[in-house]
Amino acid sequence: MNLNVLLLGGTDEARRLAAALYGRPDLRVVSSLAGRVRDPKLPVGEVHEGGFGGAEGLAAWIRDHGVDVVVDATHPFAARMSASAVQATRAAGVPLLVLRRPGWRERDGDDWHWVPSLEAAAQALPALGSRAFLTTGRRSLPVFAALDGVWFLARSVDPPEPPVPANVEIVLSRGPFTVEGEIALMREHDVDVLVTKDSGGQMTTAKLDAARELRIPVVIVRRPPAHEGTPHVDTVEAAAHWIDALRSAGSR
């Protein structure tokens, strides 16, 4: 049985899964990118760029293109896209697999302060430091724009759009980063608190190691809850095995 796979991507895991499945005669894989980054890293194979128009638009795209299975390998904080994937696959009657990298875990020497949202991070920040390294993405800056008395070093891939904090320095950069580089950056700007999201993975863990080394507190936003009833895996290998099992079951 041949399978048409729609891979909702934009992450390193999605690119690696596309590469693992590329060139197989029994699979057609189309990777979808939301188009939020100006110069994204493209996966191998077919690519669909741009949105679908919500859950209804995604369901229509699935039907129109004969998609047999959808893999949601988007960012752990892409809650809207993940919700649309659940609704669309149910409406279209096709299976959905969620591929999510494991979240981060505290280690000895960490001073982590878990919060449920970006808004809660902004509320907690003034009590922990006055020079914040903000690594929550360019779209999060408006949440911190009204904070007085806090200076920000904000890092993103693309320039943010206003509103942004009055006292902010923007660093445009894309990971992976090194611990030595992160320590040097934090020392150069006298950072005394780090703000991040529990994105997981290895590409951006260096900032957490640097904060531990410098004894800097970390405000960390918890992930959105997973959708119940949807199968989840946390490795590219497990996702590929799941797809193989589905294809094999359909060929019997």
Side-chain angles (χ1 to χ4, degrees):
M1 175 185 177
N2 294 337
L3 284 181
N4 288 337
V5 181
L6 175 61
L7 176 53
L8 305 177
T11 60
D12 177 62
E13 291 78 16
R15 289 188 292 272
R16 290 193 287 118
L17 179 58
L21 303 177
Y22 181 68
R24 288 181 43 172
D26 56 341
L27 298 175
R28 180 195 175 196
V29 180
V30 178
S31 296
S32 170
L33 303 180
R36 292 187 174 181
V37 178
R38 294 181 182 178
D39 185 24
K41 293 182 179 179
L42 295 178
V44 297
E46 295 184 59
V47 176
H48 168 82
E49 291 194 67
F52 295 96
E56 292 184 2
L58 177 55
W61 201 95
I62 290 170
R63 297 189 192 100
D64 292 345
H65 291 79
V67 172
D68 298 304
V69 58
V70 177
V71 178
D72 174 10
T74 57
H75 192 276
F77 282 82
R80 183 177 299 177
M81 185 68 249
S82 292
S84 291
V86 171
Q87 297 173 36
T89 51
R90 288 175 180 172
V94 300
L96 170 67
L97 175 71
V98 176
L99 169 58
R100 286 287 182 276
R101 68 187 76 139
W104 290 318
R105 294 186 178 182
E106 294 178 65
R107 295 167 53 186
D108 289 344
D110 284 329
D111 181 14
W112 288 8
H113 301 260
W114 290 91
V115 293
S117 65
L118 287 168
E119 290 76 14
Q123 292 177 2
L125 187 53
L128 295 170
S130 60
R131 296 184 65 84
F133 185 17
L134 193 59
T135 64
T136 50
R138 64 187 177 95
R139 294 176 181 271
S140 71
L141 265 64
V143 176
F144 300 88
L147 280 182
D148 294 325
V150 178
W151 179 89
F152 291 95
L153 175 68
R155 183 166 63 199
S156 63
V157 176
D158 292 323
E161 298 178 357
V164 300
N167 297 318
V168 63
E169 180 172 337
I170 307 296
V171 175
L172 300 181
S173 186
R174 190 199 302 262
F177 305 101
T178 66
V179 177
E180 294 77 12
E182 298 289 63
I183 289 175
L185 183 66
M186 293 184 193
R187 282 178 171 164
E188 177 186 354
H189 295 280
D190 295 323
V191 168
D192 59 9
V193 60
L194 170 67
V195 186
T196 191
K197 298 186 292 189
D198 183 20
S199 299
Q202 297 299 314
M203 289 187 68
T204 58
T205 55
K207 61 190 174 189
L208 301 174
D209 296 333
R212 184 186 314 111
E213 179 72 19
L214 297 173
R215 300 184 181 277
I216 291 174
V218 180
V219 180
I220 184 165
V221 180
R222 295 186 185 278
R223 294 180 173 191
H227 292 276
E228 295 184 3
T230 303
H232 283 66
V233 295
D234 59 12
T235 67
V236 170
E237 294 75 17
H241 178 76
W242 186 89
I243 291 171
D244 278 337
L246 190 68
R247 184 194 58 77
S248 297
S251 63
R252 294 172 185 170

